[in-house]
Amino acid sequence: DVESWMTWNYSIVLSRLKRFDEAKFVNQQSLTIKQDDTVNCHLMMIALNEIQTGDFAKANELFSQINPRAMNDWDCIFYGLLSESL
């Protein structure tokens, strides 16, 4: 079975290849399968994508679902960047 941490790694690869629409799709689908501690990372990436497209309302909605207390220090750096962008 596919798990969220697997799709997280895949979404990073897609983003690095500038295949942003596919990465967004993978991140969105990851919210529908068995979730683990990467759920916050998936939410952050989707929110960042919404900022890129100018949908700050949707980005804010996603941001409000993120639990930074469940994140490691590295992921909190990106959380802070997202926070400052909103």
Side-chain angles (χ1 to χ4, degrees):
D1 291 337
V2 175
E3 296 183 24
S4 253
W5 67 268
M6 296 172 187
T7 58
W8 172 240
N9 291 330
Y10 184 49
S11 72
I12 291 171
V13 170
L14 290 171
S15 294
R16 297 273 300 152
L17 294 172
K18 299 188 184 319
R19 294 166 57 181
F20 301 114
D21 290 338
E22 292 173 78
K24 181 180 178 181
F25 179 79
V26 168
N27 284 312
Q28 289 171 325
Q29 292 302 305
S30 298
L31 302 178
T32 68
I33 60 177
K34 181 181 175 188
Q35 295 183 356
D36 56 27
D37 60 345
T38 62
V39 67
N40 294 301
C41 296
H42 289 292
L43 288 166
M44 275 194 306
M45 292 302 286
I46 299 167
L48 287 169
N49 185 266
E50 296 300 343
I51 288 172
Q52 288 176 323
T53 62
D55 192 343
F56 289 89
K58 182 65 176 174
N60 257 321
E61 177 188 325
L62 292 160
F63 181 75
S64 70
Q65 297 174 45
I66 298 170
N67 179 7
R69 291 182 301 264
M71 299 166 71
N72 64 40
D73 291 340
W74 178 250
D75 295 333
C76 282
I77 292 170
F78 294 102
Y79 178 80
L81 292 171
L82 177 59
S83 176
E84 290 178 22
S85 298
L86 296 171

